[in-house]
């Protein structure tokens, strides 16, 4: 970096050291107000018919689960039925054994519980484990930074858009992050791998959101058993689901893929590979393109599997954001790259650390975008907002990939600060 750039960064750090604490406290205050205010708005709409769209997606899931367990055809018959066979069995404990009103209450409670779990996991994982290249950061300041990240799980728009309509996003995030955290933090054992396998298989209730993250989790585990258990548990759930239907498993999978391929390329989603291909008139290439992208990502992650696992999980979440159709409530998985950015900013005092800090601030602000900004906008305004979002996520992806390529502490060297069960250096 040239002298002018170094001087500018130095000036910025001096200003931030002087005023950063006030900014952090103001940010936490805003998170608290936003979390309470948004919950008071979205939660009643999940449990009561306040709006025409209240619990709309939960009604879809409720109807298809009931029909599935009744042995009735679902794909192409029940409106909104686009989830794979195993998802109906995974959803049954939440909504399959209750009347609709009861299912709405259970879904509300489990959504809030999942958000709290995710917030706690993010807070715990965001401890960097050491000073920034010899620069001592006060513990109180680190705690504020970690609270700024954890608070996003309770105040960001994906939670509250998803809560109002009864979406799965926060449940998926809780299963996926908890399963990954167990593999990262705990010492390897059959019991640990079974628990992680159950959580990660449950996260596959919505594979378009969770599959890249689950793939990354079993890769960073560094051993075959978690991957075998996830595949075996999900396969067993799929077979159990197929046993409830008169059609064969092959027919069910074929029907699911057929209906999903028709329903997925809708134009109300956020920027992703499917929308790009749709706009280019290449919608027939959606599935092959997604498979190629996730396959390449998997091979690359395996090659760099000894890197900081939270970096790889953040990259996987961004791939999940782009590899298939997604919409606003699916953005809950962007909490993982926010975690990776905060860890980078707290570990590095160089340009990467500074850029990571700025990008964390950008992601923090983006995830707190008021929901009204996305709805009722003209096409031009909405596309401009989506373009800014896409540019931000791509910038984050670029930085995280650069961090992996530059080399980060390896768990094999015992330097991974996020592995308390292995190195004892965490919290």
């Amino acid at each position: 970096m040239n002298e002018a750039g170094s001087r500018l960064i130095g000036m910025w750090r001096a200003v931030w050291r002087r005023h950063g604490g006030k900014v952090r406290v103001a940010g936490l205050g805003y998170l608290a107000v936003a979390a309470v205010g948004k919950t008071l708005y979205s939660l009643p709409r999940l449990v009561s018919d306040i709006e025409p769209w209240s619990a709309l997606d939960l009604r879809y899931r409720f109807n298809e689960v009931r029909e599935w367990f009744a042995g009735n055809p679902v794909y192409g018959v029940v409106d909104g039925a686009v989830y794979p066979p195993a998802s109906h069995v995974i959803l049954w404990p939440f909504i399959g054994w209750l009347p609709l009103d009861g299912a709405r209450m259970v879904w509300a409670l489990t959504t809030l519980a999942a958000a709290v779990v995710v917030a706690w996991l993010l807070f715990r994982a965001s401890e960097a484990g050491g000073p920034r290249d010899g620069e001592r950061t006060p513990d109180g300041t680190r705690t504020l930074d970690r609270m700024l990240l954890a608070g996003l799980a309770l105040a960001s728009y994906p939670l509250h858009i998803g809560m109002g309509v009864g979406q799965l996003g926060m449940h998926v995030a809780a299963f996926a992050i908890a399963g990954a955290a167990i593999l990262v933090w705990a010492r390897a054992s059959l019991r640990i791998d079974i628990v992680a396998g159950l959580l990660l298989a449950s996260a596959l209730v919505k594979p378009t959101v969770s599959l890249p993250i689950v793939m990354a989790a079993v890769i960073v585990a560094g051993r075959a058993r978690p991957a075998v258990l996830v595949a075996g548990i999900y396969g067993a759930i799929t077979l159990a689901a197929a046993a409830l239907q008169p059609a064969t498993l092959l027919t069910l999978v074929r029907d699911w893929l057929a209906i999903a391929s028709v329903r997925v390329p809708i134009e109300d989603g956020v920027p992703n590979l499917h929308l790009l291909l749709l706009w280019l008139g290449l919608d027939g290439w959606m599935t092959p393109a997604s498979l190629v992208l996730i396959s390449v990502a998997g091979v690359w992650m395996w090659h760099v599997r000894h890197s900081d696992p939270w970096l790889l999980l953040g990259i996987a979440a961004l791939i999940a954001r782009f590899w298939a159709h997604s919409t606003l409530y699916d953005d809950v998985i962007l909490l993982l790259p926010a975690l990776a950015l905060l860890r980078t900013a707290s570990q590095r005092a160089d340009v990467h650390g500074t850029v990571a800090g700025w990008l964390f601030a950008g992601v923090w602000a983006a995830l707190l975008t008021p929901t009204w900004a996305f709805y009722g906008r003209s096409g031009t305004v909405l596309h401009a907002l989506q373009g800014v979002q896409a540019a931000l996520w791509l910038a984050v992806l670029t930085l995280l990939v650069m961090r992996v390529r530059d080399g980060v502490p390896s768990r094999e060297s015992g330097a991974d600060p996020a592995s308390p069960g292995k190195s004892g250096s965490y919290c």
Side-chain angles (χ1 to χ4, degrees):
M1 178 183 296
N2 58 35
E3 184 178 349
S6 299
R7 187 182 303 112
L8 183 62
I9 290 178
M11 292 173 58
W12 161 251
R13 287 175 181 161
V15 172
W16 184 248
R17 279 194 296 269
R18 179 177 301 178
H19 302 290
K22 299 175 184 177
V23 174
R24 290 178 173 96
V25 171
L28 288 174
Y30 179 78
L31 281 176
V33 172
V36 172
K38 291 180 180 180
T39 301
L40 291 176
Y41 178 85
S42 57
L43 189 60
R45 284 157 176 78
L46 173 58
V47 299
S48 303
D49 293 329
I50 297 175
E51 306 283 355
W53 45 262
S54 291
L56 179 62
D57 287 341
L58 183 62
R59 293 175 191 272
Y60 288 146
R61 306 289 82 80
F62 178 83
N63 290 336
E64 66 189 79
V65 168
R66 293 291 286 263
E67 292 299 311
W68 190 280
F69 274 80
N72 299 323
V74 168
Y75 299 124
V77 178
V78 178
D79 190 24
V82 294
Y83 283 65
S87 298
H88 304 95
V89 174
I90 297 171
L91 286 169
W92 186 88
F94 296 95
I95 59 177
W97 55 281
L98 290 166
L100 179 59
D101 288 344
R104 292 169 76 164
M105 292 298 299
V106 168
W107 197 255
L109 293 173
T110 55
T111 299
L112 293 174
V116 172
V117 168
V118 170
W120 178 78
L121 290 169
L122 292 173
F123 182 81
R124 189 177 178 195
S126 56
E127 172 54 61
R132 301 173 60 201
D133 294 346
E135 174 186 317
R136 182 63 185 171
T137 303
D139 290 340
T141 299
R142 283 187 176 177
T143 300
L144 290 177
D145 289 339
R146 297 166 69 192
M147 291 173 67
L148 285 171
L149 171 65
L152 283 177
L154 307 174
S156 59
Y157 70 76
L159 167 64
H160 296 285
I161 293 177
M163 185 185 297
V165 298
Q167 256 290 335
L168 310 176
M170 192 54 75
H171 294 80
V172 171
F175 285 136
I177 298 175
I182 288 173
L183 293 177
V184 170
W185 290 336
R187 295 185 183 278
S189 71
L190 178 59
R191 178 177 61 85
I192 287 297
D193 289 349
I194 290 174
V195 173
L198 285 168
L199 289 168
L200 293 173
S202 298
L204 292 172
V205 65
K206 192 171 184 179
T208 53
V209 173
S210 60
L211 182 56
I213 302 172
V214 172
M215 177 185 70
V218 298
I219 288 174
V220 301
R223 55 191 187 276
R225 189 166 59 197
V228 172
L229 285 169
V230 172
I233 292 170
Y234 189 79
I237 295 173
T238 299
L239 291 175
L244 299 167
Q245 288 282 298
T248 65
L249 175 59
L250 182 61
T251 300
L252 291 171
V253 172
R254 184 185 60 205
D255 291 346
W256 164 60
L257 291 174
I259 194 69
S261 65
V262 173
R263 290 294 303 273
V264 163
I266 55 178
E267 297 193 55
D268 65 347
V270 293
N272 59 77
L273 180 61
H274 284 185
L275 275 181
L276 176 62
L277 293 174
L278 182 66
W279 292 338
L280 294 175
L282 300 173
D283 46 295
W285 289 89
M286 289 179 179
T287 299
S290 292
L291 293 176
V292 168
L293 176 59
I294 196 171
S295 297
V296 171
V299 171
W300 178 78
M301 287 184 188
W302 177 257
H303 180 67
V304 297
R305 63 189 179 278
H306 299 304
S307 301
D308 181 348
W310 296 108
L311 279 179
L312 295 183
L313 287 162
I315 291 169
L318 288 164
I319 292 169
R321 174 61 157 67
F322 287 116
W323 85 299
H325 170 77
S326 60
T327 192
L328 294 169
Y329 38 69
D330 297 323
D331 282 354
V332 65
I333 57 173
L334 295 174
L335 294 169
L336 279 171
L339 166 63
L341 288 171
L342 184 58
R343 286 173 58 83
T344 297
S346 63
Q347 290 168 346
R348 298 287 293 266
D350 58 4
V351 175
H352 279 180
T354 301
V355 173
W358 278 103
L359 287 176
F360 174 77
V363 172
W364 190 88
L367 287 175
L368 291 170
T369 303
T371 55
W372 52 260
F374 298 105
Y375 297 103
R377 307 294 104 189
S378 67
T380 302
V381 173
L382 182 59
H383 290 160
L385 179 60
Q386 291 176 338
V388 171
Q389 279 190 309
L392 176 60
W393 312 142
L394 288 172
V396 174
L397 179 61
T398 300
L399 178 67
L400 297 185
V401 170
M402 289 174 63
R403 281 285 287 137
V404 171
R405 291 182 59 188
D406 287 347
V408 292
S410 167
R411 285 178 295 165
E412 287 194 339
S413 68
D416 180 13
S419 302
K422 299 171 185 175
S423 67
S425 63
Y426 182 83
C427 290

